[in-house]
Amino acid sequence: MQRRDFLRNIGLLGLMSYIAPQDTYAALFQKEKPLKGFNLLNKFNPDYQTPFSEKDFEIIAEWGFNFVRLPLSYWCWSKKDDWYHVNENILKEIDKAVELGQKYKIHVNINFHRVPGYCINPPHEKVNLFESPEALKACAFHWKLFTERYKDYSSKYLSFNLINEAPSIADEKYDKVVRHLINTIREISPKRTIIVDGLDVGARPLMSIAKEKNIIQSGRGYQPMLISHYEASWVYGNGPMYFPKEKLSWPLNENGKIYDKNWLRDTLNKNWQPFIKKGGKVHIGEFGCHNRTPHNVALAWLNDLLAVFEENRWGWSLWNLQGSFGVLDSHRSDVKYENYKGCKLDRKMLEILLKYK
């Protein structure tokens, strides 16, 4: 059965109940009830990809959250040596996640974590998206594919996140790529809400798009990395990952420099307030704390970080629901877990998230 026939069979009236003017939905990211939830990593790594789980959506809705971000690698449905190959069976699994979002009234954000020509994580692509016209053409091909596929879905329940964590490059180079992809999507879905990750791995905004309609910029909440990524070897190598654990605390004193709630506020506001003052909207697409950070330190830091998000009325999505940064099955050595629907729940972390929901 073709996907179009499937949608027709489930009932066009049911689908149409979710379709509404899309130009109003960018406001959901910052106004009455900012979108808050979790990253779901089922299609993050093609070597370990799985179908999206209805149980995850059920749990997120039961807790009262309203947002999921899906970091996707194009290698899951395509090939690194054949950019235009498409595996329809994998795309149907992504369709299922979009449909589950509508079923549970959870906004689904589709993020291209790996695109032809760029990924923040190794292995790196053979060509550079920001230099290669062919890579940009292929990236646009995949966004056109997804936009056509979901063009009848309202921005109330579905948004697109162009590229995960842009590198430290000239604003002009990033702007050129971003506008090309926005235009590709707008030709098919003129009012789709689109999220643009900030430059410097999501740390600072692309100021040139501040006044664009239905555009949100996505920031990160991993500051300082010594807390959020303590002993994360993929980030620190042989450097500060060996910071003495007995000196790790929140607030943190690192060689006389104090990191605390005021430091978080000042750092985030310095990066993002100029963009907001120009009319831009912000959503924190990722934040979280690796499981090697002592639990009491992680919770104290998390509480202050979320308080700063709340001051700014920013929505957010924790990296991740289930895994080393998450509230389920995080494998921390210093947590007394609660059995919850077949998972190990970090109840104390969940309570902090719920406090700022």
Short mmCIF file of all heavy atoms in Angstrom, two decimals, residues 5 26 88 98 118 149 177 210 233 240 243 252 265 269 290-291 322:
data_model
loop_
_atom_site.label_atom_id
_atom_site.label_comp_id
_atom_site.label_asym_id
_atom_site.label_seq_id
_atom_site.Cartn_x
_atom_site.Cartn_y
_atom_site.Cartn_z
N ASP A 5 -2.15 6.32 -0.07
CA ASP A 5 -3.36 5.53 0.11
C ASP A 5 -3.62 5.25 1.58
O ASP A 5 -4.76 5.24 2.04
CB ASP A 5 -3.26 4.21 -0.67
CG ASP A 5 -3.22 4.45 -2.17
OD1 ASP A 5 -3.78 5.47 -2.62
OD2 ASP A 5 -2.62 3.62 -2.87
N ALA A 26 4.81 29.18 14.88
CA ALA A 26 6.14 29.53 15.39
C ALA A 26 6.03 30.08 16.80
O ALA A 26 6.94 29.91 17.62
CB ALA A 26 6.80 30.56 14.48
N GLU A 88 12.52 3.34 1.08
CA GLU A 88 11.16 3.69 1.45
C GLU A 88 10.75 3.04 2.76
O GLU A 88 9.98 3.63 3.54
CB GLU A 88 10.21 3.29 0.33
CG GLU A 88 8.75 3.54 0.61
CD GLU A 88 8.37 5.01 0.69
OE1 GLU A 88 9.16 5.86 0.22
OE2 GLU A 88 7.28 5.31 1.22
N VAL A 98 5.79 10.54 13.08
CA VAL A 98 4.97 11.72 12.84
C VAL A 98 3.52 11.45 13.21
O VAL A 98 2.84 12.26 13.84
CB VAL A 98 5.10 12.17 11.37
CG1 VAL A 98 4.14 13.33 11.07
CG2 VAL A 98 6.53 12.59 11.06
N TYR A 118 27.97 17.10 5.77
CA TYR A 118 28.24 17.63 7.11
C TYR A 118 27.61 16.77 8.21
O TYR A 118 26.46 16.34 8.11
CB TYR A 118 27.71 19.05 7.29
CG TYR A 118 28.02 19.60 8.67
CD1 TYR A 118 29.33 19.88 9.04
CD2 TYR A 118 27.02 19.79 9.61
CE1 TYR A 118 29.63 20.36 10.30
CE2 TYR A 118 27.32 20.27 10.88
CZ TYR A 118 28.62 20.55 11.22
OH TYR A 118 28.92 21.01 12.47
N ARG A 149 6.62 14.81 1.40
CA ARG A 149 6.02 13.70 2.14
C ARG A 149 5.06 14.20 3.21
O ARG A 149 4.03 13.58 3.48
CB ARG A 149 7.14 12.88 2.77
CG ARG A 149 6.76 11.48 3.21
CD ARG A 149 8.00 10.70 3.60
NE ARG A 149 7.63 9.30 3.85
CZ ARG A 149 7.66 8.34 2.93
NH1 ARG A 149 8.03 8.62 1.70
NH2 ARG A 149 7.31 7.10 3.23
N VAL A 177 23.71 28.58 2.76
CA VAL A 177 23.18 27.21 2.84
C VAL A 177 21.78 27.22 3.45
O VAL A 177 20.86 26.57 2.93
CB VAL A 177 24.14 26.32 3.65
CG1 VAL A 177 23.48 24.98 3.98
CG2 VAL A 177 25.44 26.10 2.87
N ALA A 210 16.94 36.90 11.73
CA ALA A 210 16.15 37.24 12.92
C ALA A 210 14.72 37.64 12.59
O ALA A 210 13.79 37.37 13.35
CB ALA A 210 16.84 38.35 13.72
N SER A 233 34.71 10.83 26.56
CA SER A 233 35.96 10.76 25.82
C SER A 233 35.82 11.26 24.39
O SER A 233 36.79 11.75 23.80
CB SER A 233 36.47 9.31 25.80
OG SER A 233 35.51 8.45 25.21
N PRO A 240 40.58 17.74 29.73
CA PRO A 240 39.88 17.97 30.99
C PRO A 240 38.95 16.84 31.42
O PRO A 240 38.34 16.94 32.48
CB PRO A 240 39.05 19.24 30.70
CG PRO A 240 39.69 19.86 29.53
CD PRO A 240 40.26 18.76 28.73
N PHE A 243 39.62 15.84 34.92
CA PHE A 243 39.43 16.74 36.05
C PHE A 243 39.10 15.91 37.29
O PHE A 243 38.27 15.00 37.23
CB PHE A 243 38.28 17.70 35.74
CG PHE A 243 38.10 18.80 36.73
CD1 PHE A 243 38.82 19.98 36.62
CD2 PHE A 243 37.19 18.68 37.77
CE1 PHE A 243 38.65 21.02 37.53
CE2 PHE A 243 37.01 19.71 38.70
CZ PHE A 243 37.75 20.88 38.56
N LEU A 252 30.67 25.50 40.43
CA LEU A 252 31.99 24.94 40.18
C LEU A 252 33.05 26.03 40.25
O LEU A 252 32.89 27.10 39.67
CB LEU A 252 32.01 24.29 38.79
CG LEU A 252 33.37 23.79 38.29
CD1 LEU A 252 33.85 22.59 39.12
CD2 LEU A 252 33.29 23.41 36.81
N ARG A 265 23.27 32.30 33.22
CA ARG A 265 22.39 33.36 32.72
C ARG A 265 23.17 34.33 31.84
O ARG A 265 22.72 34.67 30.73
CB ARG A 265 21.76 34.09 33.90
CG ARG A 265 20.81 35.21 33.48
CD ARG A 265 20.32 36.01 34.67
NE ARG A 265 19.48 35.21 35.56
CZ ARG A 265 19.84 34.81 36.78
NH1 ARG A 265 21.05 35.14 37.27
NH2 ARG A 265 19.02 34.10 37.52
N ASN A 269 22.41 34.62 27.85
CA ASN A 269 21.83 35.89 27.43
C ASN A 269 22.76 36.68 26.50
O ASN A 269 22.31 37.33 25.55
CB ASN A 269 21.45 36.74 28.64
CG ASN A 269 20.22 36.21 29.34
OD1 ASN A 269 19.51 35.35 28.81
ND2 ASN A 269 19.95 36.70 30.53
N HIS A 290 25.94 14.02 30.91
CA HIS A 290 26.45 12.65 30.74
C HIS A 290 26.48 11.91 32.08
O HIS A 290 26.64 12.53 33.14
CB HIS A 290 27.85 12.73 30.14
CG HIS A 290 28.46 11.42 29.78
ND1 HIS A 290 27.77 10.40 29.18
CD2 HIS A 290 29.73 10.96 29.95
CE1 HIS A 290 28.58 9.38 28.98
NE2 HIS A 290 29.77 9.69 29.45
N ASN A 291 26.34 10.61 32.02
CA ASN A 291 26.15 9.82 33.24
C ASN A 291 27.39 9.68 34.11
O ASN A 291 27.32 9.08 35.18
CB ASN A 291 25.60 8.44 32.89
CG ASN A 291 26.53 7.61 32.02
OD1 ASN A 291 27.70 7.93 31.83
ND2 ASN A 291 25.99 6.53 31.46
N GLN A 322 15.99 8.24 26.70
CA GLN A 322 16.53 6.96 27.17
C GLN A 322 17.98 6.86 26.74
O GLN A 322 18.30 6.89 25.56
CB GLN A 322 15.72 5.81 26.58
CG GLN A 322 16.07 4.44 27.14
CD GLN A 322 15.10 3.38 26.64
OE1 GLN A 322 14.45 3.55 25.61
NE2 GLN A 322 14.99 2.29 27.35
#
